[in-house]
Amino acid sequence: MGSDRSLWSEAWRDLRQRRMIRACLWGILVFTLLAAYGEGVYRWYRLTDRTPPYQQVNLQERYLPPSLFRQPFSYDRAGGSTVHLGYRERIRKGVQVLAHRPLGTDNLGRDVLQRVVQGARIAFLVGVVTSLIAIPIGVILGCLAGYFGGWVDEVVVWVYSTVACMPGLLFILAISMVVGKGLTGVYLGIGLTTWVGLCRLIRAEVMKHRDHAYVMAARSLGYSPWRIIFRHILPNVFHIVIITFSLRFPASIGTEVFMSFLGIGVQGEPSWGVMIGNARLRLWQGIWWEMTAVTAAILIVVLAFNLVGDALRDALDPRLRARDNT
Amino acid sequence: MGLQWDYFIVTRYIIRRLLYMIPTLIGVILITFILFNMVGGSPAVMTLGKNASPRALEEFDEQRGFNKPLLAGWWTGTRALPDTDFRDGAGIWREVAGAEWVQAGPGAGALRVAPGAPSVLPDAFPLRTGTTYRLQFVACMPAGGSMRWLIDGKPVGMEPEQAAATWQRHVITFQAPDQPQRGRMAVEVSGGALELRSVRLERRMSQVYDSQLVHYFRQLARLDFGESVATNQKVGTMLRRGMLPSLMLTVPIFFGGLVLSISLALVCAYLRDRWTDRVLVVVAVALMSVNYLVWIIFGQFFLAYQLKWFPIWGFESWRYLLLPVGIGIISGLGGDLRFYRTIMLDEFYKDYVRTAFAKGLGPVSVLFKHVLPNAMIPIVTSTVVALPFLYTGSLLLESFFGIPGLGGLSVNAINSADVDVVRGVVLVGSVLYMVASLVSDLCYAVVDPRVKLR
């Protein structure tokens, strides 16, 4: 992609110069690392066939508030004792308290922080896997329709306008109901329904490129259509894929939260939706920390992705802004 | 709006568009067919559960046409005798007298039927009278001998059949007896033992094209969406009843959100790049990023439960709608505001706006008389297409606030795997979407005189 390098590097420089976007990129990096860590923990405990720490029930420590709200640096008043600890001792104890269940525990005494990290893992998986389903469908169909036109185009347009007719969330839920509850249902439901917008954009863009001189040149050199589409045209429209990816990532996280909350999504694992559903019942008893932790996690991740996606769109293709309503 | 609103042109246009709708409608029907009839497991099992009796499952399938061949064909499965592969286990064949499941050794994973008195097959319910059945099985008789299949004690065919010493596929076709008898199948083995590897019973249809697909199309042609399993009501009735509460919730959300976001977008566009605009944009992105669930939970908890400003749950008077409507507006505001702001800004840099300001018009007049009508073009297309989703209601709002509309209905239906209801809502939703996109194109022509209907 020799000639595009300037576009990409310029966009990258553009993004890095804005402080807000830089913060968001760091946020996304941390989210990715946490997800990877969560995956490691998950795999390790499955491999060794033990209960992972985020599932360990500890009834003595139910409803433990976040450590900051447990007065970590105050006197130890347990049992009415008024022993004055030394300064260093108090700091040491305080840090100990802070490090123990930093975000508190839920109704079964499970560590909220570890569960939030597991939720990050699931959210990341959902974002990536659904993109891996939706983006190839959208790109391939869009390229074929745009390049070949004619009946291929008509068939593709028929397929995507049919899918576009289906009522969004309900269609997703119906797919996952048919496939069966669980992550696979979530992946398929979101992945198979959210490729239409990308397909439309790619189709329109490829149509424009079809008559450009470089495509004509490639055609007159006798290259096969596949080579022209995927080696010549696709790199020139690839920024659409990047932008779509960064904007659909948070959307699919949100959908997963819905589905898991409704009980159709993830089963038996602490996804953010499952945690919200769980925490919602406790909220009425004044247990606010689980809810707050999950809400904040979702907000930060989705906000970071939205801002970066927007900035990417502005940097790579400002014309896309008005075209889709996201 | 002169000539092009010729009655004839509009009618021709609408007819053409309606014709274009046919392939899409067929596509939608096919997608729901593929989804509910082909991809998933049996809808009967999904709805009634794994422990339902085969008879109940068969009745469910019979009522909904799920026991017919998928696309076309003479033969279709029946639940009277479960399809069994003895390599996986013996299932209900364990209780068959004179038969034993061979677990290990030579001939492992087979059912050995000993010679002697007839062994009655473990059928779940009688065969249909006067219907032709076909029994397919893979069998061998290592020690030689012969077998005879019996229906109500009467042999099928004349001669006892021989089976080879190696695995071989056998097919016997027979007619279920006409008399209202039990219609039990049995096998009588003589000589050496018979070993069965797999068994499948099929029923013959009276017509080749009497398939699930045709049944589905016929049902839809009668506008019959089936029957809910949970409530035993007609799905059509349920959809009609749920529509009003849904609309009472979504129409105010739609118009409220539209008015609010468009006016805020105008403010943003007018004060572009000043702090009001910047703050509003940041707030919009933040609003967008808050999950819908969070709005609902916090709204219900703080505003309704703690502050007692609104009723928490129910559908008794207009006051019950206030909170859900407010939440609906707020949650959609962020995205809409940003979208409309972009549109407004695109208009704002055009020459006619500068001219309007230059000739001394006030901001209100420029905004509402000049910018807004032009910005309406993209707004109309995006909003009218959103109209049919008003009908499906808001799944979450309705189930959280106990509003008996279509959204809550669908959530319940999905949770209880009520196939017909889900399918009905999906179908009607997509048809409404098609109609709305037609209306949207017509509106497009109304607001933009440059658009010509073809």
Side-chain angles (χ1 to χ4, degrees), chain B residues 150-183:
Chain B
L150 310 164
I151 301 290
D152 280 338
K154 290 190 201 105
V156 174
M158 291 290 111
E159 296 291 313
E161 203 178 340
Q162 309 267 319
T166 51
W167 292 116
Q168 236 173 16
R169 228 175 87 99
H170 297 252
V171 179
I172 54 168
T173 311
F174 58 90
Q175 192 156 26
D178 278 332
Q179 284 78 29
Q181 265 178 311
R182 179 69 177 81

Side-chain angles (χ1 to χ4, degrees), chain A residues 54 203 214 222 308:
Chain A
Y54 55 88
R203 171 175 168 268
Y214 74 96
V308 169

Side-chain angles (χ1 to χ4, degrees), chain B residues 277-335:
Chain B
D277 175 39
R278 292 213 181 125
V279 166
L280 275 176
V281 169
V282 171
V283 168
V285 178
L287 287 183
M288 258 174 69
S289 306
V290 176
N291 201 283
Y292 212 89
L293 273 178
V294 173
W295 286 121
I296 296 178
I297 292 170
F298 278 86
Q300 201 171 31
F301 181 68
F302 287 112
L303 303 183
Y305 174 70
Q306 291 211 315
L307 298 175
K308 298 192 171 45
W309 287 355
F310 304 101
I312 297 177
W313 194 92
F315 186 66
E316 282 158 33
S317 69
W318 58 273
R319 293 197 52 226
Y320 285 81
L321 283 172
L322 286 179
L323 185 58
V325 167
I327 290 174
I329 291 179
I330 284 282
S331 61
L333 191 62

Side-chain angles (χ1 to χ4, degrees), chain A residues 20 158-159 161-171 173-175 177-179 181 200 247 253-255 257-258 261-264 273 276-277 280 283-286 291-292 295 298-299 302-304 306-307 310 313 321-326, chain B residues 23-24 26-28 30-32 35-36 39-41 46 285-286 288-294 297-298 300-301 305 312 335-336 338-339 341-342 346 382 389 392 395-396 399-400 410-411 413-415 417-419 422 425-426 429-430 433-434:
Chain A
M20 190 75 186
W158 174 66
V159 171
S161 47
T162 304
V163 173
C165 279
M166 314 293 278
L169 185 58
L170 198 62
F171 189 33
L173 295 181
I175 290 181
M177 175 185 107
V178 167
V179 176
K181 293 176 179 174
R200 272 192 187 134
L247 288 175
I253 291 178
T255 313
V257 170
F258 271 168
F261 176 80
L262 289 175
I264 307 164
I276 287 189
R280 176 185 161 231
L283 195 62
W284 307 83
Q285 303 165 14
M291 195 68 184
T292 314
T295 311
I298 298 177
L299 180 68
V302 173
L303 190 62
N306 275 340
L307 287 174
D310 264 9
R313 181 162 59 178
R321 286 194 121 197
R323 249 189 268 161
D324 61 341
N325 180 11
T326 39
Chain B
T24 317
I26 292 177
V28 167
L30 283 181
I31 286 186
T32 49
L35 196 59
F36 292 105
V39 178
M46 215 151 64
V285 178
M288 258 174 69
S289 306
V290 176
N291 201 283
Y292 212 89
L293 273 178
V294 173
I297 292 170
F298 278 86
Q300 201 171 31
F301 181 68
Y305 174 70
I312 297 177
D336 288 350
R338 260 162 35 107
F339 176 60
R341 177 179 170 273
T342 320
D346 281 350
S382 72
F389 299 119
T392 25
L395 301 175
L396 286 174
S399 54
F400 263 92
S410 336
V411 170
I414 283 169
N415 274 329
D418 205 339
V419 178
V422 178
V425 182
V426 169
S430 24
Y433 180 88
M434 285 181 239

Side-chain angles (χ1 to χ4, degrees), chain A residues 44-193:
Chain A
W44 173 248
Y45 280 91
R46 217 176 51 169
L47 199 70
T48 53
D49 204 18
R50 285 180 296 161
T51 315
Y54 55 88
Q55 299 283 39
Q56 264 161 21
V57 175
N58 186 352
L59 291 179
Q60 273 97 48
E61 284 195 344
R62 301 171 71 190
Y63 302 131
L64 204 62
S67 54
L68 268 180
F69 293 84
R70 278 182 256 142
Q71 297 164 335
F73 296 105
S74 65
Y75 293 109
D76 182 9
R77 293 206 179 83
S81 103
T82 49
V83 182
H84 288 246
L85 295 171
Y87 179 68
R88 289 195 174 184
E89 194 69 354
R90 266 169 62 189
I91 297 269
R92 203 179 60 78
K93 281 219 128 168
V95 170
Q96 235 174 31
V97 170
L98 273 184
H100 181 68
R101 310 266 189 245
L103 292 182
T105 58
D106 68 357
N107 59 320
L108 293 175
R110 296 172 297 194
D111 188 26
V112 170
L113 180 63
Q114 303 222 32
R115 289 173 75 78
V116 169
V117 170
Q118 283 301 308
R121 169 193 143 237
I122 290 171
F124 191 83
L125 273 179
V126 167
V128 170
V129 176
T130 59
S131 300
L132 286 180
I133 299 174
I135 289 181
I137 299 180
V139 167
I140 291 174
L141 288 184
C143 282
L144 293 182
Y147 185 78
F148 289 110
W151 67 268
V152 180
D153 186 37
E154 266 164 37
V155 169
V156 170
V157 170
W158 174 66
V159 171
Y160 79 56
S161 47
T162 304
V163 173
C165 279
M166 314 293 278
L169 185 58
L170 198 62
F171 189 33
I172 296 178
L173 295 181
I175 290 181
S176 66
M177 175 185 107
V178 167
V179 176
K181 293 176 179 174
L183 261 180
T184 324
V186 176
Y187 294 152
L188 287 177
I190 302 177
L192 291 179
T193 49

Side-chain angles (χ1 to χ4, degrees), chain A residues 184-262:
Chain A
T184 324
V186 176
Y187 294 152
L188 287 177
I190 302 177
L192 291 179
T193 49
T194 49
W195 52 270
V196 176
L198 176 66
C199 184
R200 272 192 187 134
L201 289 176
I202 294 271
R203 171 175 168 268
E205 209 57 25
V206 171
M207 269 181 177
K208 268 186 236 156
H209 280 265
R210 191 172 52 180
D211 301 324
H212 280 200
Y214 74 96
V215 178
M216 303 260 201
R219 218 179 287 152
S220 56
L221 281 172
Y223 288 154
S224 73
W226 301 102
R227 185 170 170 156
I228 297 175
I229 293 175
F230 292 105
R231 294 280 298 278
H232 296 248
I233 300 181
L234 191 58
N236 285 317
V237 298
F238 202 72
H239 59 276
I240 300 181
V241 176
I242 303 282
I243 297 165
T244 307
F245 174 77
S246 61
L247 288 175
R248 69 182 301 291
F249 202 103
S252 56
I253 291 178
T255 313
E256 184 273 321
V257 170
F258 271 168
M259 296 171 76
S260 301
F261 176 80
L262 289 175

